[in-house]
Amino acid sequence: MSFIERKVMSVVVFRIDRRSGVATYLQIVRQVEQALRMGALEEGDRLPTAAQVAATTKVNPNTTLKAYRELERAGLAEVRQGAGTFITRTLADPDSGPEWPLRTALTEWLHQARAEGLGGEEVQALFGAAFEAAYPGAPGG
């Protein structure tokens, strides 16, 4: 086992809550995202194989592969045939990544709402209604 494999094995320990109501693959995705935000995973780190995750969590390897494909779609990981799945960027720096322009626009919108006299509860209600319209039935909506 290489240094990176030992590092990742000690850093990424997936915890699956089967009673949470959140799909198992999404729990894996969210845990990787959290590790990226905290700096526990960095660009170039190798994620555990689907077989390793299955052995430690009793999750079907296909579920882990689905999570890794989702991370790949989000631009956070890449699958290298025969080598594994590797982190391609971090979330620890809020100034990086494709979501930064969206964060800037949202921050500007919040400042505009405040300048126009909207209170916190009004902004939350307005955001909640807009979120529900954009993501019908999504958790948090």
Side-chain angles (χ1 to χ4, degrees):
M1 186 178 297
S2 74
F3 169 76
I4 288 181
E5 286 174 316
R6 283 192 303 275
K7 177 184 173 200
V8 172
M9 292 292 285
S10 66
V11 171
V12 179
V13 178
F14 295 114
R15 305 254 188 255
I16 304 302
D17 181 356
R18 297 184 194 312
R19 295 173 295 168
S20 73
V22 176
T24 302
Y25 85 97
L26 282 178
Q27 290 183 49
I28 293 170
V29 168
R30 290 177 182 167
Q31 289 175 44
V32 169
E33 290 172 339
Q34 184 64 21
L36 289 167
R37 278 188 207 92
M38 294 173 37
L41 282 174
E42 300 171 348
E43 187 175 332
D45 285 349
R46 183 179 178 270
L47 292 173
T49 66
Q52 289 168 328
V53 175
T56 58
T57 64
K58 308 299 184 232
V59 168
N60 185 310
N62 290 328
T63 300
T64 301
L65 294 173
K66 182 176 181 179
Y68 287 3
R69 282 192 303 272
E70 185 65 28
L71 290 165
E72 191 172 26
R73 270 194 290 280
L76 299 174
E78 72 175 347
V79 177
R80 298 180 194 157
Q81 203 62 27
T85 303
F86 293 83
I87 297 299
T88 55
R89 71 178 177 91
T90 182
L91 295 176
D93 178 5
D95 293 341
S96 68
E99 74 281 353
W100 182 248
L102 294 173
R103 183 186 306 239
T104 300
L106 180 58
T107 300
E108 289 171 359
W109 180 84
L110 289 168
H111 288 295
Q112 180 183 357
R114 186 175 192 172
E116 292 182 16
L118 292 176
E121 289 181 16
E122 294 166 308
V123 168
Q124 285 182 330
L126 183 57
F127 180 83
F131 181 87
E132 178 60 33
Y135 296 95

